[in-house]
Amino acid sequence: MSKPDRPDILDWFGLRQPWVLTVARPLGVFLSVVVILLFGLAIVAAGAILLHAILDLGFDAPRAGFGTGAVIVALIGAPFVIWRSVALERQTRTAEQGHITDRINKAVEGLGAEKTVNRIGRPVLLRENDPDYGGMADVDLEERRTEIEWRGESLRIPVGLHVDEEYDWQAFTETQPNLEVRIGAIYALERIAQDSDRDHVQIMEILCAYIRQNAPAPDNDDWPELEMKEGEDDGPLEADWDERMQAFHEAQEERKKSLKLREDIQVALTVIGRRSEKQRRLEAGRGVEAEFPFDVPCPEFDGSEDGHDQAALDAYRKDFDDWRETLRAYTGYRLDLRGADLRGADLSSLVLNGAQLAGTYLHGAILKNAQLQGAFLMDARLPGATLMDARLQGANLIRARLQVANLIWARLQGANLMRARLQGATLVQARLQGATAAQT
């Protein structure tokens, strides 16, 4: 358990650890010195008065007797006063922690809020196309698929299926997430994370789990595919490459129009992506502040962009390797969004350094100016994503799909792009020093 956020009496008086006058609270140090001097003076005075009472050292008798009693009472009562103050402070701190726990529990309950709604729709029976039978497949009922077409909304028919039969419009009663309550709960958790350092990591875990559970990656990826002919992966492109690329680009833009991330998922992403530097340091120490290496700027190459200064390049590679090694040695908490469906999400300017995003669906997502240093994006799907000026230094992009992605001004120094798919991607002014593009 981490150290409580609010200092206790020993912290205030500077007695829990040796004083460091350059960083200690001035008032706490002053009071502790005064209290220690007064307490020592009281003990000396009490000793002198008690010796006078026993040995008659010549002090004024009435005053000495009165002083003796007063000092003795004060000395006897002082420990009890101090003990009561410490006990009261601990009780207050315990009550505050209990209150924060209640706030977390109430917010988590809000994350599961649902509501019942009535909608008008009609069942639509879909079945597979079969070119051998004029587009009509002779299949069993088990191979058919029924979807609900809601009034006022277009039914998106998956590739390879056609409408076989449409039924009558009718009222459907269904349960839906209560987005207003859930969004309020997400903001409540953000406020708790800001108020309580010790609970920050736990709340990030809750929000990431909420995103993964409520936006899981689909079983089948129905995103348009770029047609690649045999041998093109390793050899020259066929003559109709431009036509295929244009067709893929148009199909992708059309598919983007239907992308809409659920509002509560977008809010949760925004909340975790705007954590403060202090909160990220708490993640590094799992509740106590430590260096968050992903916030350390990546070394910049200061050699000539046009020339081939081998000495400058070797020096840069050494600095970069040292920087990347600190990322690999990191053992603190990482945002975990693996396997989430974030298609069409707006992650612009969010801080996701070091995040776990393996296998995440980010088709058509907007990641302009996003900070993804050291992020783990193995097998992530980012076709059509906007990564303009994104910071991806040291990121793991093995087998990532980046077809027709916008990587203008992207910073990819030291990124691992082994087996990544970059067909049609725009890399104008992208920085790729030290990036790995093939197995060596």
Side-chain angles (χ1 to χ4, degrees):
M1 183 175 294
S2 62
K3 183 180 176 181
D5 303 334
R6 181 170 297 179
D8 57 19
I9 289 178
L10 294 179
D11 285 319
W12 178 253
F13 284 116
L15 299 176
R16 190 172 293 281
Q17 58 185 358
W19 293 335
V20 180
L21 297 179
T22 58
V23 297
R25 298 181 182 89
L27 184 57
V29 175
F30 173 75
L31 288 178
S32 61
V33 171
V34 171
V35 169
I36 292 173
L37 289 177
L38 290 177
F39 194 73
L41 184 60
I43 293 176
V44 172
I49 294 172
L50 289 173
L51 287 174
H52 167 69
I54 298 172
L55 303 175
D56 190 11
L57 298 177
F59 299 138
D60 181 69
R63 292 177 61 189
F66 176 78
T68 300
V71 171
I72 291 175
V73 170
L75 289 176
I76 293 174
F80 293 98
V81 172
I82 295 173
W83 175 82
R84 179 175 177 80
S85 299
V86 173
L88 181 61
E89 191 275 337
R90 289 179 177 175
Q91 290 174 359
T92 302
R93 182 168 10 115
T94 301
E96 289 178 351
Q97 290 301 319
H99 178 60
I100 290 175
T101 300
D102 292 340
R103 289 170 62 191
I104 293 175
N105 292 337
K106 184 177 180 179
V108 171
E109 290 178 4
L111 292 178
E114 296 183 337
K115 60 183 178 181
T116 301
V117 298
N118 294 319
R119 302 180 69 185
I120 302 299
R122 63 178 178 182
V124 176
L125 183 63
L126 305 176
R127 57 190 285 182
E128 284 185 280
N129 296 327
D130 190 339
D132 296 333
Y133 294 91
M136 303 290 290
D138 186 13
V139 296
D140 296 332
L141 290 177
E142 291 78 18
E143 295 176 296
R144 297 181 178 182
R145 174 175 170 181
T146 301
E147 298 285 346
I148 302 298
E149 179 185 2
W150 301 110
R151 178 164 290 173
E153 299 180 9
S154 298
L155 177 64
R156 188 169 62 84
I157 302 174
V159 177
L161 298 180
H162 73 276
V163 176
D164 185 53
E165 188 171 358
E166 296 176 341
Y167 297 94
D168 296 333
W169 295 98
Q170 56 187 286
F172 288 86
T173 299
E174 62 176 1
T175 300
Q176 294 182 347
N178 192 327
L179 298 186
E180 295 83 357
V181 175
R182 294 190 180 199
I183 290 172
I186 292 169
Y187 284 133
L189 287 171
E190 180 185 29
R191 178 62 182 272
I192 297 170
Q194 293 169 348
D195 293 343
S196 176
D197 291 351
R198 65 188 299 175
D199 296 302
H200 168 73
V201 172
Q202 177 189 0
I203 289 171
M204 292 302 104
E205 291 175 334
I206 291 171
L207 291 177
C208 287
Y210 179 78
I211 293 171
R212 295 195 308 271
Q213 292 298 316
N214 286 271
D219 294 331
N220 299 313
D221 187 359
D222 59 356
W223 195 260
E225 287 286 343
L226 174 63
E227 182 185 356
M228 297 293 295
K229 295 186 177 180
E230 185 177 357
E232 281 189 321
D233 285 335
D234 302 314
L237 301 175
E238 298 291 336
D240 62 344
W241 169 257
D242 290 338
E243 290 79 4
R244 282 181 283 139
M245 178 59 68
Q246 182 63 26
F248 172 64
H249 180 74
E250 291 175 356
Q252 191 167 242
E253 290 302 311
E254 185 65 27
R255 182 70 178 86
K256 283 183 183 181
K257 296 177 182 178
S258 64
L259 294 178
K260 183 175 175 57
L261 191 65
R262 210 171 74 187
E263 189 65 25
D264 57 328
I265 304 300
Q266 179 63 63
V267 170
L269 288 169
T270 302
V271 165
I272 66 176
R274 65 187 182 196
R275 305 167 341 275
S276 66
E277 292 184 11
K278 177 183 177 182
Q279 288 175 316
R280 297 195 292 274
R281 291 196 298 271
L282 289 170
E283 293 170 8
R286 295 186 179 274
V288 296
E289 289 191 54
E291 183 182 49
F292 189 67
F294 300 102
D295 279 351
V296 176
C298 174
E300 293 288 342
F301 179 65
D302 58 1
S304 173
E305 295 290 341
D306 300 325
H308 299 282
D309 187 342
Q310 188 61 42
L313 185 59
D314 290 342
Y316 169 74
R317 188 181 297 275
K318 173 64 169 59
D319 291 341
F320 183 84
D321 288 344
D322 292 342
W323 174 79
R324 186 164 53 181
E325 188 59 35
T326 63
L327 305 188
R328 292 173 175 171
Y330 178 74
T331 58
Y333 171 74
R334 293 172 180 246
L335 298 175
D336 188 355
L337 297 171
R338 289 174 291 183
D341 183 1
L342 306 180
R343 291 176 291 183
D346 186 355
L347 305 176
S348 302
S349 301
L350 297 187
V351 180
L352 300 170
N353 292 334
Q356 296 276 11
L357 292 159
T360 301
Y361 279 44
L362 287 157
H363 308 63
I366 302 173
L367 295 107
K368 184 177 180 180
N369 296 314
Q371 297 185 35
L372 291 155
Q373 288 189 160
F376 196 80
L377 288 150
M378 180 182 290
D379 293 313
R381 306 189 180 197
L382 299 111
T386 300
L387 290 148
M388 184 183 297
D389 206 24
R391 300 180 183 180
L392 289 152
Q393 298 99 325
N396 186 331
L397 289 156
I398 294 176
R399 295 191 300 272
R401 300 186 183 185
L402 290 154
Q403 298 97 327
V404 198
N406 185 343
L407 289 157
I408 296 175
W409 299 312
R411 305 178 187 183
L412 290 153
Q413 298 98 321
N416 191 336
L417 291 159
M418 190 183 301
R419 298 179 65 186
R421 301 183 186 182
L422 289 155
Q423 297 92 342
T426 305
L427 290 156
V428 177
Q429 295 294 322
R431 302 181 184 181
L432 290 154
Q433 295 94 340
T436 303
Q439 187 171 1
T440 57

